[in-house]
Amino acid sequence: MAKLGLGTGLGSAVQKALRSPYPLQEYSLKFDGHTDYVTIGTALADSFGDGYSGGLTISMWFMHTGVAGGGVDGDGMLMIADSGDWTNKPLLLRIESDKIYVRTMDSSSASFPYTETNVWRHLTIVCDRPNEVFRMYLDGVLKNDVGPSSQMAQDLDIADMTTYIGVYSAVQYAFDGYIDEVGIFNRSLVGFGPLLVVKRFVILNMGLV
């Protein structure tokens, strides 16, 4: 199972986390909305490779502290793209024009309204490619269910591409706020009912299959 895990520190920080319903800001990634972003190399994208046709789930905690709704330019949250050409970005997640928006392979996308600032939220994006459906959850509650559409089934070609956190397209679209515990899984969440978010842990009621 492919996953990128961004931890929250060690020792006493972990003990604090177990008592807190949300990530601790002092151990989370903080972005200034101007030039800050994180790159973690190509290992994650290489684990998917080219011609990937399986499921995909993205999970993260975030707190947006910038312009409500991301403004018209938007705040990037996650991107997989060519390191030398950010116009080619097969996976993209951002806040823009009062929405949280996800897109894969420039062809399939989904969004839901979002304008909150200065509050921690948990976001889960499920691309159920075999059934050609996008599902978007906020704090475990289903916010949008898009499909079926043949565009959802388009293979991902991301071998040798770089994973970025906190930006999309260009540095002027950097995230303003905090992001923590990013996970990217090569599985689609299946089942019925909401996700259950307990403390810092996300319990998937039917599991990742």
Side-chain angles (χ1 to χ4, degrees):
M1 179 178 293
K3 181 191 177 192
L4 159 68
L6 295 179
T8 57
L10 300 173
S12 61
V14 173
Q15 297 303 315
K16 291 178 183 178
L18 293 174
R19 297 193 296 269
S20 173
Y22 305 112
L24 301 175
Q25 288 176 208
E26 61 265 39
Y27 299 105
S28 303
L29 292 172
K30 185 180 187 302
F31 302 92
D32 66 4
H34 299 289
T35 58
D36 289 348
Y37 64 89
V38 172
T39 175
I40 60 166
T42 64
L44 181 71
D46 286 343
S47 69
F48 286 92
D50 286 336
Y52 178 71
S53 59
L56 181 72
T57 298
I58 302 169
S59 171
M60 69 170 65
W61 287 93
F62 73 97
M63 180 168 68
H64 188 225
T65 59
V67 176
V72 295
D73 291 328
D75 283 11
M77 303 172 80
L78 179 72
M79 174 177 70
I80 295 179
D82 282 333
S83 60
D85 180 11
W86 284 10
T87 61
N88 182 18
K89 40 188 182 297
L91 180 63
L92 172 66
L93 177 62
R94 69 181 188 263
I95 300 176
E96 181 181 2
S97 301
D98 298 336
K99 295 179 180 180
I100 292 179
Y101 174 89
V102 62
R103 188 187 72 209
T104 61
M105 294 304 295
D106 292 324
S107 61
S108 56
S109 63
S111 65
F112 66 88
Y114 188 82
T115 58
E116 290 184 313
T117 58
N118 301 303
V119 59
W120 279 106
R121 296 298 185 198
H122 186 271
L123 177 66
T124 306
I125 308 293
V126 178
C127 184
D128 184 358
R129 298 162 65 78
N131 294 310
E132 302 177 358
V133 173
F134 256 131
R135 297 185 184 93
M136 305 182 75
Y137 299 85
L138 188 69
D139 290 345
V141 177
L142 182 65
K143 305 298 287 187
N144 199 0
D145 191 344
V146 178
S149 167
S150 60
Q151 290 182 330
M152 304 291 180
Q154 184 177 356
D155 290 350
L156 279 175
D157 294 325
I158 57 177
D160 300 321
M161 291 192 174
T162 300
T163 300
Y164 299 86
I165 300 171
V167 71
Y168 87 96
S169 293
V171 293
Q172 62 261 39
Y173 306 129
F175 191 73
D176 196 343
Y178 299 84
I179 295 176
D180 198 7
E181 296 188 359
V182 178
I184 302 177
F185 302 87
N186 58 350
R187 298 288 189 273
S188 298
L189 176 70
V190 297
F192 302 94
L195 298 176
L196 179 60
V197 181
V198 178
K199 296 287 187 180
R200 294 174 57 80
F201 305 101
V202 184
I203 298 175
L204 309 178
N205 69 320
M206 294 297 289
L208 290 169
V209 300

